[in-house]
């Protein structure tokens, strides 16, 4: 790597971290509601995303899998 390349600047945003935590809680709450209403096997990740009001990719970023 050339010497003139600047190192990456660290990034830490407490506000962004709090928003991400809130989104994760919203997704978990939506999943719980759907599991209770429809059952675990009948609940899809897409349904969880719709219930939580987020994109499907957001659900997969917050949680690796339905389990």
């Amino acid at each position: 790597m050339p010497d003139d390349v600047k190192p990456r600047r660290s990034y830490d945003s407490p506000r962004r971290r709090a928003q991400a935590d809130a989104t994760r809680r919203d997704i978990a709450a939506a999943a719980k509601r759907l599991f209770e209403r429809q059952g675990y096997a009948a609940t899809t990740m897409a349904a969880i995303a719709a219930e939580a009001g987020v994109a499907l990719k957001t659900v997969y970023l917050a949680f690796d899998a339905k389990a």
Side-chain angles (χ1 to χ4, degrees):
M1 188 179 254
D3 292 332
D4 59 341
V5 175
K6 294 181 182 179
R8 282 190 161 209
R9 188 176 73 170
S10 66
Y11 177 78
D12 181 38
S13 171
R15 183 175 180 190
R16 177 66 194 109
R17 194 171 39 251
Q19 288 174 329
D21 290 343
T23 298
R24 186 175 170 89
R25 283 191 303 274
D26 291 346
I27 293 168
K32 183 177 186 233
R33 285 192 301 273
L34 290 174
F35 293 158
E36 290 171 347
R37 189 180 324 142
Q38 303 176 171
Y40 180 83
T43 301
T44 65
M45 293 292 272
I48 293 169
E51 179 79 8
V54 299
L56 180 58
K57 183 166 181 123
T58 303
V59 176
Y60 278 109
L61 289 171
F63 298 92
D64 294 333
K66 188 165 78 169

